[in-house]
Amino acid sequence: MGIFNPLYDAVSWIIVQFHSLYSLVFDKDSGWAWGLSIISLVILIRICLIPLFVKQIKSTRNMQALQPKMKAIQERYKNDKQRQSEEMMKLYKETGTNPLSSCLPILAQSPFFFSLYHVLSYIAKGQEVGVIKQDMVTSAQHAHIFGAPLAAKFTDSASTLANLGASVTDVRVVTVIMIILMSGSQFYTQRQLMTKNVDMTVKTPFMQQQKMLMYVFPVMFAVFGINFPVGVLIYWLTTNVWTMGQQMFVIRRNPTPGSLAFKERQDRLRAAGKLKDDSKAAAKPGEGGATADAAPVKRTQPKRQSKSQRQTAGTGTQAQPSGGTAKKPGTPPADAQSKPKAQPKAQPKPNLSKKK
């Protein structure tokens, strides 16, 4: 086993501790005691990986925020792929974004996954591994889940399965159902991320890559799953269900802005009265939010005039502004009253010299 001995020891020790705990409730040789021990191993590992999961969520959100800039770089250097890659790496470096951070939880739990695979393989061969001694190897070797031994695989021969106390039909039916559930949960988890927590208005190669992985991963699980022991299938199905529930919780509580999940969350908060509706607040009168179109227009009725005022208006005389005193009929205009009267011209004096 070499350098992987510490991992084998760690995985086998954790399984043995959980098995001792569940043996208080179930038969120590039953598949439930050993199966629940594997499920508890998964839960323990995933709890330890929560910080990496949070980092994965932040990295995914940063990638979403960078989509417009990435799109601009692709359009600018669409004929120069090398320059396009250089500008992308420069953008990642400036913003502190790592595209591989979304794979951190999978990469971190891979050593435990392969360690469990080898532990179960040694149990199937009847060999001691880690802290699991021969008596426990025999107990785990014959532990069945729905008629399939934990160490059995889909590709095992009839003679191998007979030594484990199982039939080919039982093992293949159980493994096929578990492979379908494992691939289906992986597909749903990726599809949930793409349809609800991604801004679909921006199309980039990152989104195309995620969409491709949505179909590639389930196929990979289906192909490689036939070579996994039942115990490993239990491990991987449990971690897929955990990931799906964890992602569902995060998307519901903290979705990516601009995504469908973000709009649904805004609607829930608005319906619960926890989010103020700006459009309704702007329509309230008296708060400065009403628009000019919505403001009521006041109409003033013309004041009632007397018969003489109407006759004066008909002759071209300007109407007196409202609030002033009414003019008497026949009164000249104000500008005429203000002008001084013209003085009569002086008569010339008679010439007395002509009379003489």
Side-chain angles (χ1 to χ4, degrees), residues 168-299:
V168 175
T169 303
D170 291 340
V171 171
R172 291 187 176 178
V173 168
V174 172
T175 52
V176 167
I177 292 176
M178 296 187 71
I179 289 173
I180 292 174
L181 293 176
M182 185 176 62
S183 300
S185 59
Q186 178 67 34
F187 176 79
Y188 181 81
T189 301
Q190 192 67 21
R191 187 177 183 275
Q192 179 182 233
L193 180 66
M194 290 296 300
T195 57
K196 287 196 171 185
N197 205 38
V198 173
D199 187 358
M200 301 300 293
T201 59
V202 182
K203 305 293 183 181
T204 62
F206 175 75
M207 293 179 58
Q208 298 297 328
Q209 179 185 6
Q210 295 294 318
K211 188 175 181 180
M212 181 182 65
L213 293 177
M214 181 173 64
Y215 297 98
V216 170
F217 275 161
V219 174
M220 290 177 59
F221 281 119
V223 172
F224 293 108
I226 61 176
N227 296 312
F228 292 159
V230 173
V232 175
L233 294 179
I234 293 175
Y235 174 95
W236 207 250
L237 176 60
T238 305
T239 192
N240 281 358
V241 173
W242 177 281
T243 302
M244 182 174 61
Q246 193 175 40
Q247 181 176 273
M248 190 180 298
F249 175 80
V250 172
I251 290 177
R252 182 178 177 84
R253 299 295 298 271
N254 191 21
T256 301
S259 63
L260 177 62
F262 181 81
K263 296 178 182 178
E264 292 177 351
R265 181 175 181 271
Q266 296 295 96
D267 293 339
R268 289 195 304 269
L269 293 177
R270 193 175 293 111
K274 298 179 181 180
L275 184 66
K276 189 176 181 181
D277 194 343
D278 297 335
S279 60
K280 292 182 180 181
K284 289 182 180 181
E287 295 183 2
T291 58
D293 295 337
V297 180
K298 288 186 177 182
R299 295 184 179 182

Side-chain angles (χ1 to χ4, degrees), residues 30-324:
S30 66
W32 290 108
W34 287 102
L36 290 174
S37 300
I38 296 174
I39 293 175
S40 300
L41 171 67
V42 176
I43 295 175
L44 179 63
I45 293 174
R46 293 311 302 263
I47 290 175
C48 296
L49 293 179
I50 286 179
L52 288 180
F53 180 79
V54 173
K55 190 173 183 179
Q56 175 194 15
I57 293 298
K58 290 182 179 180
S59 177
T60 304
R61 292 174 69 92
N62 290 339
M63 291 294 294
Q64 291 296 324
L66 292 179
Q67 295 303 307
K69 295 182 179 180
M70 294 170 63
K71 185 68 174 179
I73 292 175
Q74 290 163 5
E75 293 179 352
R76 184 176 181 182
Y77 304 104
K78 58 183 178 180
N79 297 325
D80 190 352
K81 297 298 182 182
Q82 182 178 357
R83 182 64 184 278
Q84 185 181 119
S85 301
E86 293 175 356
E87 292 296 326
M88 287 289 188
M89 297 304 296
K90 184 179 178 181
L91 179 63
Y92 293 150
K93 186 176 181 180
E94 290 176 351
T95 57
T97 303
N98 185 5
L100 299 178
S101 297
S102 58
C103 303
L104 283 178
I106 296 178
L107 295 176
Q109 67 177 325
S110 295
F112 296 95
F113 171 77
F114 289 110
S115 298
L116 178 63
Y117 176 83
H118 284 283
V119 167
L120 293 175
S121 297
Y122 276 90
I123 290 175
K125 297 174 184 178
Q127 300 177 4
E128 296 182 359
V129 55
V131 299
I132 300 179
K133 302 306 177 182
Q134 190 61 46
D135 57 337
M136 300 193 73
V137 169
T138 304
S139 174
Q141 193 176 23
H142 294 85
H144 290 61
I145 293 289
F146 302 113
L150 293 178
K153 295 182 290 186
F154 180 88
T155 55
D156 285 342
S157 62
S159 59
T160 302
L161 296 177
N163 293 331
L164 296 175
S167 65
V168 175
T169 303
D170 291 340
V171 171
R172 291 187 176 178
V173 168
V174 172
T175 52
V176 167
I177 292 176
M178 296 187 71
I179 289 173
I180 292 174
L181 293 176
M182 185 176 62
S183 300
S185 59
Q186 178 67 34
F187 176 79
Y188 181 81
T189 301
Q190 192 67 21
R191 187 177 183 275
Q192 179 182 233
L193 180 66
M194 290 296 300
T195 57
K196 287 196 171 185
N197 205 38
V198 173
D199 187 358
M200 301 300 293
T201 59
V202 182
K203 305 293 183 181
T204 62
F206 175 75
M207 293 179 58
Q208 298 297 328
Q209 179 185 6
Q210 295 294 318
K211 188 175 181 180
M212 181 182 65
L213 293 177
M214 181 173 64
Y215 297 98
V216 170
F217 275 161
V219 174
M220 290 177 59
F221 281 119
V223 172
F224 293 108
I226 61 176
N227 296 312
F228 292 159
V230 173
V232 175
L233 294 179
I234 293 175
Y235 174 95
W236 207 250
L237 176 60
T238 305
T239 192
N240 281 358
V241 173
W242 177 281
T243 302
M244 182 174 61
Q246 193 175 40
Q247 181 176 273
M248 190 180 298
F249 175 80
V250 172
I251 290 177
R252 182 178 177 84
R253 299 295 298 271
N254 191 21
T256 301
S259 63
L260 177 62
F262 181 81
K263 296 178 182 178
E264 292 177 351
R265 181 175 181 271
Q266 296 295 96
D267 293 339
R268 289 195 304 269
L269 293 177
R270 193 175 293 111
K274 298 179 181 180
L275 184 66
K276 189 176 181 181
D277 194 343
D278 297 335
S279 60
K280 292 182 180 181
K284 289 182 180 181
E287 295 183 2
T291 58
D293 295 337
V297 180
K298 288 186 177 182
R299 295 184 179 182
T300 56
Q301 297 291 338
K303 291 185 177 182
R304 189 173 181 179
Q305 296 179 345
S306 62
K307 183 177 180 181
S308 60
Q309 288 176 334
R310 290 196 299 270
Q311 290 177 352
T312 305
T315 58
T317 307
Q318 295 181 353
Q320 181 72 13
S322 59

